[in-house]
Amino acid sequence: MSEVVIIGLGQLGRVFAGGLLRAGRTVVPLNRGDDMATLAQAHPAPELVLVAVAENDLHGVLAALPVAWKPRVALIQNELLPRDWQTHGYLDPTVISVWFEKKKGIDAKPLIASPVAGPGAALLCRALASIDLPCREVAPGDALLFELVRKNVYILTTNIAGLKTGGTVSQLWAQHEAFARQVANEVMDIQDALTSVRHDRDKLIAGMLEAFDGDPDHGCTGRSAPARLARAIGHADEFGLDVPVLRALAG
């Protein structure tokens, strides 16, 4: 059977592992503390290398990935943009924007279908479909970029606005739409700067609202919300953006 290496067996990594096993693949795990070079020698030509580590660990993994594995890499992180992999010389990775939530002790819950692009897209869609998680293939390039920015707008807007409002995503829009739009516009300013593209803001808002409808009771904030705000302000500083609403929330 074809092998898939999974780097990081946290909540999301285990979901993908289950789907890939159901799709008939042999899953080779790489856990924290394991030697990547040794595993690459034992498994030099996997079908896919799924990097399932947290956002903060991504760049270290991409920098250290063995050369033989680089053309096979697949990425699943939140707040992901092309510059994250291009910085390390990756040209055409498989990338999936994950639109399901997985918490400890609870089955994965989809909001909308997860879009995926790249060489391993068909395999990841088969794997997710085998465990009843919707997935759809999109084209690399502009289509994928829009999906990544859409997810970033959703995550950053709800997390950051939720630091003030609390509540669920449906409550955020029903009770605080004007404020949510202010946050979203500043988030989109940052995304435009990070990608050097002026995105269609109406389309991004519509995409965010589709995800709201997919899980109206989804909580706005989590433990990562303050870090996301700090990271967004750091990006704003990088590009000289004012983002007064975000700065006020940071105090």
Side-chain angles (χ1 to χ4, degrees):
M1 289 190 290
S2 295
E3 295 180 333
V4 175
V5 173
I6 300 184
I7 303 175
L9 269 294
Q11 295 295 326
L12 287 184
R14 292 199 293 272
V15 171
F16 280 95
L20 288 161
L21 288 168
R22 289 286 297 272
R25 299 309 189 267
T26 298
V27 171
V28 180
L30 180 75
N31 291 301
R32 190 180 297 274
D34 291 346
D35 185 76
M36 195 180 298
T38 299
L39 195 70
Q41 289 178 348
H43 305 275
E47 184 176 358
L48 204 65
V49 178
L50 183 67
V51 180
V53 300
E55 295 97 302
N56 291 340
D57 297 324
L58 175 64
H59 287 278
V61 171
L62 290 182
L65 209 69
V67 173
W69 283 0
K70 287 187 174 183
R72 310 167 193 274
V73 76
L75 306 175
I76 69 171
Q77 286 69 27
N78 287 325
E79 297 188 55
L80 190 65
L81 289 172
R83 75 179 207 158
D84 293 306
W85 62 80
Q86 291 168 355
T87 296
H88 300 281
Y90 294 79
L91 299 178
D92 186 28
T94 299
V95 179
I96 183 167
S97 180
V98 173
W99 280 100
F100 58 83
E101 183 181 36
K102 178 66 177 77
K103 294 184 177 180
K104 188 174 182 179
I106 301 173
D107 287 342
K109 179 180 181 181
L111 283 70
I112 58 177
S114 296
V116 56
L123 172 59
L124 289 185
C125 272
R126 287 198 304 274
L128 291 180
S130 75
I131 52 174
D132 300 320
L133 292 174
C135 180
R136 59 188 176 90
E137 291 189 53
V138 299
D142 291 345
L144 173 62
L145 179 60
F146 173 81
E147 294 297 343
L148 293 175
V149 172
R150 172 194 188 188
K151 180 70 181 295
N152 291 349
V153 171
Y154 171 88
I155 291 174
L156 292 168
T157 299
T158 56
N159 275 205
I160 292 170
L163 289 169
K164 178 179 179 179
T165 66
T168 66
V169 296
S170 59
Q171 290 169 337
L172 174 65
W173 203 250
Q175 300 171 19
H176 309 283
E177 180 182 340
F179 173 64
R181 284 185 180 275
Q182 287 180 315
V183 173
N185 275 318
E186 293 189 358
V187 167
M188 289 186 283
D189 287 342
I190 294 169
Q191 296 295 304
D192 286 355
L194 288 168
T195 59
S196 300
V197 174
R198 178 69 178 177
H199 296 279
D200 184 331
R201 299 197 171 198
D202 290 338
K203 189 177 178 183
L204 286 171
I205 292 293
M208 181 176 74
L209 294 180
E210 181 187 356
F212 283 9
D213 291 340
D215 186 7
D217 296 326
H218 193 91
C220 285
T221 57
R223 291 175 298 176
S224 58
R228 294 195 195 283
L229 174 58
R231 194 155 46 240
I233 291 173
H235 290 318
D237 290 342
E238 179 184 346
F239 293 99
L241 302 175
D242 288 335
V243 295
V245 176
L246 269 57
R247 294 187 193 279
L249 287 169

